[in-house]
Amino acid sequence: FNAGNVQQYEFLADTFLGGQKPAHVQECTRKHGDVLRFDPTTQEYGVMSSNRTIRTYFKPIPCAAVPLPQRSAVSQSGRCHGHADNLLYFQSECARW
């Protein structure tokens, strides 16, 4: 995210999830009220709970994009996902719960 410190990272997360949604950003609301956003341009992804608490904010990584020698370790650590791209990951996460 090019954040130099925790405060900058928190500002970016607050702006992305708590600010007005730009037209190009994808958004869904899960049944229990979580709001998910995904920006296909920057690859930002975040989840905010129904009480407006940020649950997560990161740039997902498809395991297929990880170089083969590291893929197994990265996958086992949970630092990548098994979808073909991040939009499919977002859509899958929207369908949960």
Side-chain angles (χ1 to χ4, degrees):
F1 290 107
N2 294 324
N5 56 46
V6 172
Q7 292 78 17
Q8 289 175 348
Y9 173 81
E10 288 177 355
F11 175 79
L12 292 171
D14 286 340
T15 301
F16 181 69
L17 289 161
Q20 186 172 359
K21 183 187 82 62
H24 72 281
V25 170
Q26 303 286 315
E27 182 178 274
C28 70
T29 303
R30 288 180 177 156
K31 291 178 185 175
H32 66 279
D34 281 355
V35 175
L36 288 71
R37 286 187 177 178
F38 173 67
D39 185 331
T41 303
T42 64
Q43 301 296 298
E44 293 169 271
Y45 168 84
V47 179
M48 182 172 55
S49 70
S50 60
N51 70 359
R52 302 196 50 84
T53 300
I54 295 174
R55 293 184 183 271
T56 192
Y57 173 66
F58 64 99
K59 292 184 180 184
I61 301 169
C63 290
V66 177
L68 197 53
Q70 294 92 11
R71 189 175 301 164
S72 179
V74 172
S75 178
Q76 288 177 359
S77 71
R79 295 186 327 229
C80 65
H81 61 79
H83 299 279
D85 60 40
N86 290 334
L87 179 58
L88 291 173
Y89 172 76
F90 165 75
Q91 293 168 340
S92 172
E93 289 297 306
C94 285
R96 291 179 53 200
W97 315 317

